[in-house]
Amino acid sequence: MLIVNGIVHTMEVGTIPDGYVRIQGSRIAQVGRVCELSEWADSDGVIDAQGGHILPGLIDVHCHLGLYGCGAGEDDLNECPEPWTPQLRALDGVDPFNRYFEEARRAGVTCVLTGPGSANPIAGQGVLLKTVGRVIDQMTVRAPASMKFALGENPKRIHEKQGPATRMATAAVIREKLTQALNYEAKWARSQADGRLDEPEFDIRLDALRPVVTGRLAAHFHAHRADDIVTAVRLSKEFGLDCVIVHGTEGHLVADFLAREGVPVITGPFLTYSSKPELNRLTAENTAILAQAGVQVAICTDHPETPIHLLPFCAAMAARAGMDEEEALAAITVNAACIAGVGDRLGALSPGKDADVVVMDGHPFDWRSRVTHVLIDGQEVE
């Protein structure tokens, strides 16, 4: 497969005017200028971009696609009776026939990190998957892809009767369970060293936290307010977690702090209204301010808060609010892939990476632009 005559946004080595992308099987084989091609003949066909834009498949690195249905009562987001449920796997709840997978593909979104909601201080495991397929296991890129934690108003509101009912109590629950997980991990390590003579009794919840406290699985902290963001970083430093801030609505107030700590932020949704007090300082400039401070940023829809097909529009609004256009595009491609731990496979057009490619008839941030072709793993999809 050969895609020619387009402006190629490689996201790693700059933009190539009048470029091409060659695909072999499910991988990208070559990227370059059309004038470097000796011939266009290709046994598997040619897609003529006709002067449009060729870019990596877009990635929404925080949403609830497939876990939230299309009508009332179709909600598999939150397991509310208990405040900590790290054993929950989004893999077991995603409906691949949810109509919004098609909406995602039509908008050029080829990969998403979807997972539990933010009702519980420790909510469960996210899954990174492609947006085409009928069997979730075959769509999965990485599972688990993250462990969801939540600070702020949501866990307080849901658990106000039985607790935690304050920010202090929410942090205390997280701290207690991470301490238990560290002790559980230490017992497993000793049992392996001793030939499993003292193997601990299996605990499904603590076992799910083992890769988190050992730094093998990223901890995604739902946090809007600046103090909640700082609490997430504090907890992560205490326990050696690989911390990612999700939403970070007031991140612009502590941008220098986040840059110094090297903590990435998944911003959004900001195409919404201030539906709760911790969104009072919601601003489209947040992403630009964070990026200018040196924070690695991605942009999400938090679908269904913002419909997933509006992911390119979210990035366009960040650019309108002062973010460099290529940086805004990186926030829904290469940066998103790196934050999801798959920068070696996704998010850029370079040889060896997955052939997830989108062709648009105009700039991806022009609201009039249309997606003309979407390829996932080298196969064109409707």
Side-chain angles (χ1 to χ4, degrees), residues 193-321:
D194 297 338
R196 296 187 178 271
L197 297 178
D198 188 27
E199 186 173 303
E201 183 178 352
F202 180 74
D203 185 311
I204 191 171
R205 291 189 288 187
L206 294 178
D207 195 71
L209 288 173
R210 287 178 63 196
V212 180
V213 296
T214 54
R216 293 178 286 119
L217 183 64
H220 283 210
F221 277 87
H222 165 109
H224 286 283
R225 254 172 41 177
D227 57 322
D228 292 328
I229 294 169
V230 173
T231 295
V233 176
R234 182 185 311 114
L235 286 166
S236 297
K237 292 177 72 173
E238 284 180 33
F239 293 93
L241 309 183
D242 180 9
C243 177
V244 176
I245 300 298
V246 178
H247 306 310
T249 301
E250 293 186 3
H252 58 279
L253 299 178
V254 288
D256 291 342
F257 166 78
L258 288 166
R260 286 195 304 271
E261 295 294 337
V263 176
V265 180
I266 302 168
T267 64
F270 46 80
L271 298 184
T272 183
Y273 69 105
S274 299
S275 57
K276 49 190 174 183
E278 60 189 345
L279 298 183
N280 283 339
R281 297 184 181 90
L282 178 69
T283 173
E285 285 77 17
N286 183 42
T287 313
I289 294 170
L290 287 167
Q292 289 162 8
V295 178
Q296 184 182 45
V297 292
I299 294 171
C300 74
T301 64
D302 196 22
H303 176 91
E305 294 298 322
T306 297
I308 195 162
H309 68 274
L310 295 179
L311 180 63
F313 192 65
C314 294
M317 290 299 97
R320 180 183 177 183

Side-chain angles (χ1 to χ4, degrees), residues 7 17 19 41 72 98 113 233 260 313 379:
I7 300 169
N98 184 294
L113 200 164
V233 176
R260 286 195 304 271
F313 192 65
Q379 298 296 312

Side-chain angles (χ1 to χ4, degrees), residues 21 23-29 55-57 110-111 130 139-141 342-357 375-379:
V21 176
I23 296 169
Q24 290 182 347
S26 63
R27 303 286 180 177
I28 295 171
L55 51 145
T110 59
C111 188
K130 301 290 180 79
M139 300 161 64
T140 297
V141 176
V342 290
D344 59 330
R345 285 187 55 181
L346 303 174
L349 298 178
S350 58
K353 296 199 174 182
D354 289 12
D356 296 351
V357 187
L375 292 88
I376 299 179
D377 293 325
Q379 298 296 312

